[in-house]
Amino acid sequence: MSFQNWDEIRTAYQVARIGTVSGAADVLGVHHATVIRHIDALEGRLGAKLFQRHARGYTPTEAGQELLKVAQATEDQFGQLAARINGAGSEMGGELVVTSVPGLSALVTPVVAGLMAEHPELIVRYVTDLRIFRLEYGEAHVAIRAGSAPTEPDNVVQRLHEHQVALFGAPSYLAKHGTPVKDTDLVAHRFIGNENPASRAPFYQWLAGVVPRSQVVYRCNDGEATEDAVRAGLGLGFLPVASARGNPDFVEVMAPREAWASPLWLVTHVDLHRTTKVQAFLAAIKAASKDWPAMCSGHGHR
């Protein structure tokens, strides 16, 4: 297959993804007549209609859907190749993409700041998200994940620390409802929790065994929303110690416990693990983690 054919497939992929000729033309940086010519040529070469044309745009046919699968796989492979090329070598410049579970910014940002001060040519993208980024496709250089050890093939996994959470309440909530002292006091309180009752977060699993679900009166799936709800006095909630402890908006009601903790893992893809900027970040965050609060501080653990 010639490079011209690959251009046509790439054009068809963008039309299928966006749904219009003009939108695909904008993304590809070509005239809309070029897009139409590529589609017509590809359909002629394959002997099948790839799109249904209608007033709102182009919709892939069954044959078009099959082509889309091939084009998507090709696009992913090119993205993976580009990430490896851009991450190769001994340079400390360019882009470094770090992703983590929400709630770790207070720990990660000082590490990034130190690294950027030492290497001002470095551009860092720090993305917090609950979804698992595909390192094999170059979506990130380094991932910081919580929970059970990642098992994807071709990844280098290293234990970093414990994700330490405590139970917090707003001063306004505690003034109205009182402060629980022991676990049995919790049955008289309201809670902010995960909208998924089967959440695997260890602190939510613990809470499910202590109070009935009906006491979880505000349910969400986002760390920032949980923090906002606690701040608004809607109930008690679990927040990362790194960001909530010392904040006047929150009162630490119950200190971190082993049963609430999640191990943190540093994850890199084997192809990028040895690159200079990845190694520099890994060394910096591992050094910084030695000064992070010990899990279950004050409870005799670690």
Side-chain angles (χ1 to χ4, degrees):
M1 181 168 285
S2 70
F3 284 110
Q4 178 63 36
N5 299 149
W6 281 117
D7 283 343
E8 293 165 359
I9 292 174
R10 185 164 174 257
T11 298
Y13 168 67
Q14 294 297 341
V15 171
R17 187 177 69 86
I18 298 169
T20 64
V21 167
S22 59
D26 288 342
V27 168
L28 296 168
V30 299
H31 194 273
H32 72 273
T34 302
V35 174
I36 295 173
R37 185 171 67 252
H38 281 181
I39 297 299
D40 290 344
L42 194 56
E43 288 182 332
R45 187 172 293 107
L46 295 174
K49 282 291 182 186
L50 299 174
F51 297 95
Q52 295 289 348
R53 281 80 161 168
H54 50 78
R56 297 184 305 279
Y58 280 40
T59 301
T61 62
E62 187 174 346
Q65 291 286 357
E66 290 301 311
L67 179 73
L68 185 59
K69 293 177 185 176
V70 174
Q72 177 68 67
T74 304
E75 188 87 353
D76 285 345
Q77 291 296 324
F78 272 116
Q80 180 181 359
L81 176 63
R84 292 176 183 176
I85 292 173
N86 291 335
S90 58
E91 303 83 10
M92 275 301 295
E95 192 171 78
L96 173 67
V97 184
V98 179
T99 178
S100 82
V101 293
L104 298 183
S105 178
L107 299 176
V108 175
T109 300
V111 175
V112 170
L115 203 60
M116 294 181 74
E118 188 175 349
H119 305 281
E121 66 276 21
L122 196 63
I123 298 170
V124 176
R125 286 175 52 208
Y126 177 45
V127 184
T128 59
D129 204 315
L130 290 174
R131 81 175 180 90
I132 295 177
F133 283 69
R134 299 183 302 175
L135 303 184
E136 70 273 21
Y137 288 136
E139 288 190 333
H141 294 89
V142 182
I144 305 173
R145 298 179 185 167
S148 56
T151 57
E152 297 93 343
D154 299 327
N155 282 346
V156 179
V157 178
Q158 303 174 74
R159 182 75 169 253
L160 177 63
H161 201 66
E162 299 283 347
H163 189 201
Q164 186 183 17
V165 301
L167 190 63
F168 289 87
S172 60
Y173 174 88
L174 298 176
K176 183 176 181 180
H177 298 277
T179 301
V181 176
K182 52 188 182 297
D183 291 1
T184 53
D185 296 339
L186 297 178
V187 295
H189 286 270
R190 299 157 66 86
F191 292 88
I192 289 87
N194 196 287
E195 59 89 22
N196 177 11
S199 170
R200 295 174 59 190
F203 43 92
Y204 285 137
Q205 291 181 345
W206 178 89
L207 184 65
V210 175
V211 302
R213 179 71 174 167
S214 59
Q215 287 180 237
V216 182
V217 297
Y218 188 86
R219 306 167 185 180
C220 55
N221 64 346
D222 176 78
E224 185 176 353
T226 300
E227 185 176 300
D228 289 340
V230 174
R231 183 182 289 109
L234 299 183
L236 303 177
F238 291 98
L239 300 176
V241 169
S243 58
R245 183 176 281 174
N247 187 323
D249 291 343
F250 307 115
V251 176
E252 188 171 331
V253 173
M254 289 187 172
R257 300 185 183 183
E258 184 174 2
W260 302 345
S262 296
L264 291 179
W265 306 93
L266 283 172
V267 189
T268 54
H269 191 269
V270 65
D271 289 343
L272 297 178
H273 178 71
R274 289 295 175 190
T275 58
T276 302
K277 56 190 171 186
V278 168
Q279 283 295 309
F281 176 81
L282 294 178
I285 198 163
K286 284 190 282 189
S289 71
K290 295 176 182 177
D291 295 325
W292 294 351
M295 202 277 289
C296 299
S297 177
H299 288 260
H301 180 83
R302 288 181 60 178

